[in-house]
Structures are given as structure tokens and as C-alpha cells.
């Protein structure tokens, strides 16, 4: 079962429907204890970083995520879910994240229209299981005002340009994160979700 963490943030139903369309058992899960039943765990998000982290800690999802990862099971962060995987964010102050990846979230330069909304391309720096069958330069759907600045080059598997080059896909082992919304990115987004669901 693919568990989609419900911590009071994000459009969870569209992620659930995308996995179900692909033929996978997926469920929105409110109780972190139920994550123990899941083979895969997904952390979506459409919210401010600080609010999202407060909700994760208050609900116990931060501990459930740590337990899931200790057992070596696949994990995927989407949009703010990716940002929460990093050490810190500068969104409306300084906030500590889940610290799964080294780096931080910064606001796009004032020269760019914020938020970035719409289709943009990825540039693949290295292949990982999430990108099986995904072509260089593929377009995905983005909606965000802050970007990830990864400190470890090996964890930045794809980048995107919007006023600057930033990490749009991060990965290490069973840990994956994407800045865009694969559930809104048509065939290529569904391929990426199918790759995650197939990862063991």
C-alpha cells in the first residue's frame, strides 16, 4: 500500500487518484501509525514551510517518516514535501526541516515573477530509478515561490532554470523528492510516479 501522509497540508486527493489510475493501492492516511502498513510513503505539500513543519511535528508524522526510512522503505516528497526534506528554509524566517538532505530553501530572485507557475523543463544530471523512461528536457508542472539549494552534488539528480539553476529532483538510496507536481504533469508525471511505486 502507498500511504499519502495527511498532515493538514496539500492537495492529497490528486496524488491518490494518480496512483490509483496506475493500478496501485494508495490511500490518504491521517494516523501516522498506519504508515507502518505502507510499502511506500508520499509527503505532498502546498503550504508555507514553517506551518508544514509545525503540523508534521504536532501530528507525529516526522517520527513516522523517520521510522519508515530506517526500515529502508521508499519515500517521495512532492513540492513543499521536497523542501521539507532539506535542512532549513528561509521562508518567512528561519525554519529547520527534516534534515534528510543537506541544503536549504531560498526565495527566487526579485527579478523573476513569483510564484513560478506552469510548465518547465528538467535537466538530468545523473540517472536514478525515478527517471527510468523520462527523457532529458521533459516538461513538468511547477507551482512554487521558493527553490531548493542542495549542498551535495550527488543528491541533485535534476535541475531546472528559473532565473537561476536549482535542484528540482533530489535522490539518495530509497529517498526521493521532486519540486514539481507529477500528478499534474500528464504522461511523464505518471511515468515518474509509476517508477516510484515500482521501486523496492
Amino acid at each position: 500500500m502507498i500511504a499519502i501522509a495527511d498532515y493538514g497540508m496539500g492537495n492529497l486527493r490528486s496524488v491518490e487518484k494518480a496512483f490509483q489510475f496506475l493500478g496501485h493501492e494508495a490511500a490518504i492516511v491521517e494516523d501516522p501509525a498506519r504508515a507502518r502498513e505502507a510499502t511506500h510513503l508520499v509527503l505532498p505539500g502546498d503550504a508555507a514551510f514553517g506551518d508544514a513543519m509545525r503540523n508534521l511535528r504536532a501530528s507525529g508524522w516526522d517520527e513516522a517518516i523517520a521510522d519508515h526510512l530506517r526500515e529502508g522503505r521508499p519515500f517521495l516528497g512532492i513540492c513543499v514535501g521536497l523542501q521539507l526534506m532539506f535542512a532549513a528554509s528561509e521562508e518567512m524566517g528561519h525554519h529547520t526541516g527534516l534534515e534528510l538532505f543537506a541544503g536549504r530553501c531560498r526565495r527566487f530572485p526579485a527579478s523573476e515573477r513569483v510564484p513560478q507557475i506552469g510548465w518547465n523543463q528538467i535537466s538530468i544530471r545523473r540517472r536514478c530509478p525515478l527517471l527510468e523512461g523520462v527523457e532529458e528536457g521533459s516538461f513538468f508542472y511547477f507551482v512554487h515561490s521558493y527553490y531548493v539549494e542542495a549542498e551535495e552534488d550527488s543528491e541533485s539528480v535534476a535541475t531546472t532554470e528559473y532565473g537561476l539553476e536549482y535542484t528540482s529532483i533530489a535522490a539518495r538510496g530509497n529517498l526521493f523528492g521532486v519540486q514539481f507536481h507529477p500528478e499534474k504533469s500528464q504522461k511523464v508525471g505518471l511515468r515518474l510516479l509509476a517508477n516510484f511505486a515500482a521501486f523496492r
Side-chain angles (χ1 to χ4, degrees), residues 172-194:
R172 187 186 69 249
N174 62 324
L175 196 60
F176 306 97
V178 297
Q179 180 60 70
F180 47 81
H181 288 271
E183 76 281 6
K184 298 178 182 179
S185 298
Q186 301 179 357
K187 287 184 179 180
V188 69
L190 290 174
R191 178 57 190 264
L192 187 145
L193 292 178

Side-chain angles (χ1 to χ4, degrees), residues 73-90:
R73 289 177 286 171
F75 178 86
L76 173 66
I78 296 175
C79 194
V80 172
L82 162 74
Q83 296 178 4
L84 295 171
M85 296 165 74
F86 279 77
S89 175
E90 299 175 354

Side-chain angles (χ1 to χ4, degrees), residues 65-135:
I65 290 167
D67 290 342
H68 183 88
L69 293 174
R70 272 194 293 269
E71 295 178 5
R73 289 177 286 171
F75 178 86
L76 173 66
I78 296 175
C79 194
V80 172
L82 162 74
Q83 296 178 4
L84 295 171
M85 296 165 74
F86 279 77
S89 175
E90 299 175 354
E91 184 176 2
M92 293 185 288
H94 178 84
H95 305 280
T96 301
L98 293 170
E99 300 183 276
L100 303 176
F101 292 124
R104 64 180 54 243
C105 300
R106 299 183 184 277
R107 188 173 174 84
F108 280 119
S111 58
E112 302 304 316
R113 179 176 294 178
V114 176
Q116 175 189 192
I117 301 178
W119 296 89
N120 204 344
Q121 292 176 284
I122 63 167
S123 176
I124 298 172
R125 302 179 68 181
R126 70 173 178 85
R127 286 286 169 179
C128 75
L130 210 59
L131 293 172
E132 181 68 32
V134 176
E135 296 181 1

Side-chain angles (χ1 to χ4, degrees), residues 17-38:
K17 287 176 66 177
F19 280 115
Q20 291 174 345
F21 175 82
L22 291 166
H24 298 285
E25 181 186 359
I28 296 169
V29 175
E30 294 182 18
D31 182 0
R34 281 197 61 205
R36 300 190 191 100
E37 306 167 15

